[in-house]
Amino acid sequence: MNSPLRSAAPAGLPDARGRFGAFGGRYVPETLVPALDRLQAGLDRYLHSPEFQAEFAYELKTWVGARRPFRMPRP
């Protein structure tokens, strides 16, 4: 199912660098660009690694959706 926001953008935009056409850029302050570049580099490096995926699956299984993740259930 397509998101309404995703379907509103022209096909192929944003491009791989996050830009919208010849004059478009990322809509963030310039002071944040180095931090976002580091974040993107980390995502590109680790997101699809088996180690990260295993840890992520574990966290999803043990934390996501838990009603009371910080307390033991009462009998």
Side-chain angles (χ1 to χ4, degrees):
M1 174 184 339
N2 286 338
S3 160
L5 295 176
R6 178 67 67 184
S7 62
L13 296 177
D15 64 13
R17 293 183 57 212
R19 298 190 177 272
F20 292 86
F23 302 104
R26 294 182 284 187
Y27 295 102
V28 297
E30 285 296 314
T31 56
L32 293 180
V33 170
L36 291 173
D37 288 343
R38 278 186 61 203
L39 178 62
Q40 187 63 52
L43 283 171
D44 294 341
R45 182 174 178 185
Y46 295 110
L47 185 62
H48 299 290
S49 73
E51 295 85 11
F52 173 80
Q53 290 297 318
E55 184 175 345
F56 183 58
Y58 171 79
E59 295 297 337
L60 285 176
K61 182 177 140 188
T62 59
W63 287 98
V64 175
R67 288 180 45 188
R68 303 175 90 180
F70 299 110
R71 300 175 193 222
M72 295 296 293
R74 294 183 184 172

